Amino acid sequence: SLLCETRSEGPARIRVERWDTADFATAVAAFHRSSGLLEGGTLILAAFVFLVALVNREWIYVLFAGWLVANFQLAAISAGFDWTWFGRVVPESLILPMRKAGIAAYCLLTIALFGRLFDADLKQLRERWMLVPVQWSGVLLMVSAFVAPFAIFLPIMWASVAFGVTVIAFLLIRILRTARSAVAMWYGASLALTLVSGLYEVLAAAFGIKVLIGAVNSVTAALASSLLAALAIAAQFRAERDK
């Protein structure tokens, strides 16, 4: 017999499976290989981008390196291995604070990267002032990550994300209509992919939807959105070089 008690903050469902010893050992080994590949690949890429930023003094790459790490943290939360870091077990008391800080850092860096990528395009829009309250909402989210418990942080996070995504999507559409920018298309695709996968995971947790959960989650979104964001930065670099 098995007695299980759970206390969740936010939507959650518990699933229990019975494993044979050999199958369980195989699954654990595969899990650690996959998580190690994702962690090592992402962090080495982030370190490389950071070194490129130092050598070329292109500070947008510093933002991108930080964004890659924060994006990896979201993937780790989704996949369930955010309790380890470089193969070391994170103390239980630090797991929730790290989750809050990682989510807030991702939102803040996404806003900063958007502002830096489209600085020239935003100057041509009358609605560029709309980005200022979005930036302050990111700061508020980061502050709440350190001072508010998770139950309070969660609704603040969803409100900030909903507001930020709405404004950034509107500004991206305006940029696309005025400039037909390839940078905006790549960055918009990256943002949309992350948002859709995250929303799907929340719906899957809340309502038990399991149709695409194996293929559509924050892990696949982290890899794909990192690639799309890299293409956006490459397109921006090429446009600046052409000028």
Side-chain angles (χ1 to χ4, degrees):
S1 61
L2 175 68
L3 175 62
C4 180
E5 179 184 357
T6 177
R7 292 186 298 273
S8 65
E9 303 192 47
R13 285 176 179 265
I14 295 295
R15 186 180 68 181
V16 179
E17 293 185 5
R18 182 177 178 178
W19 290 72
D20 293 331
T21 303
D23 291 340
F24 181 71
T26 302
V28 169
F31 174 83
H32 284 296
R33 280 197 302 272
S34 300
S35 61
L37 283 171
L38 181 62
E39 181 180 45
T42 303
L43 295 181
I44 287 175
L45 176 60
F48 172 74
V49 170
F50 182 72
L51 290 175
V52 169
L54 293 181
V55 172
N56 295 311
R57 297 183 180 180
E58 288 285 347
W59 302 117
I60 188 173
Y61 291 117
V62 176
L63 287 176
F64 185 50
W67 183 85
L68 282 171
V69 175
N71 202 17
F72 163 75
Q73 178 67 10
L74 286 187
I77 293 172
S78 170
F81 59 85
D82 63 317
W83 51 274
T84 65
W85 191 256
F86 289 111
R88 301 290 184 267
V89 177
V90 177
E92 187 177 350
S93 60
L94 296 180
I95 292 178
L96 272 184
M98 284 182 60
R99 286 180 180 177
K100 293 190 294 180
I103 294 170
Y106 175 82
C107 294
L108 200 58
L109 288 168
T110 299
I111 296 167
L113 196 59
F114 174 80
R116 176 61 183 83
L117 266 178
F118 301 107
D119 182 54
D121 295 308
L122 288 170
K123 289 178 180 178
Q124 301 176 10
L125 298 180
R126 291 176 298 178
E127 300 89 349
R128 63 182 180 275
W129 62 268
M130 296 174 66
L131 190 61
V132 176
V134 174
Q135 293 169 335
W136 280 109
S137 71
V139 174
L140 173 64
L141 185 62
M142 180 60 76
V143 172
S144 66
F146 289 98
V147 301
F150 195 78
I152 297 177
F153 169 79
L154 203 60
I156 295 176
M157 184 269 291
W158 280 115
S160 299
V161 168
F163 175 64
V165 167
T166 301
V167 172
I168 288 177
F170 172 76
L171 292 174
L172 273 174
I173 292 171
R174 291 282 289 116
I175 291 170
L176 282 170
R177 291 182 64 182
T178 56
R180 305 285 182 181
S181 170
V183 181
M185 287 189 289
W186 288 122
Y187 188 82
S190 172
L191 192 65
L193 187 61
T194 303
L195 179 66
V196 169
S197 64
L199 183 61
Y200 178 77
E201 283 200 339
V202 172
L203 294 175
F207 302 107
I209 303 171
K210 301 178 183 178
V211 178
L212 298 174
I213 200 64
V216 179
N217 52 46
S218 293
V219 178
T220 53
L223 297 173
S225 63
S226 295
L227 175 61
L228 292 170
L231 289 172
I233 291 176
Q236 174 71 6
F237 182 75
R238 180 179 179 180
E240 291 179 354
R241 186 183 62 184
D242 289 344
K243 289 179 181 179

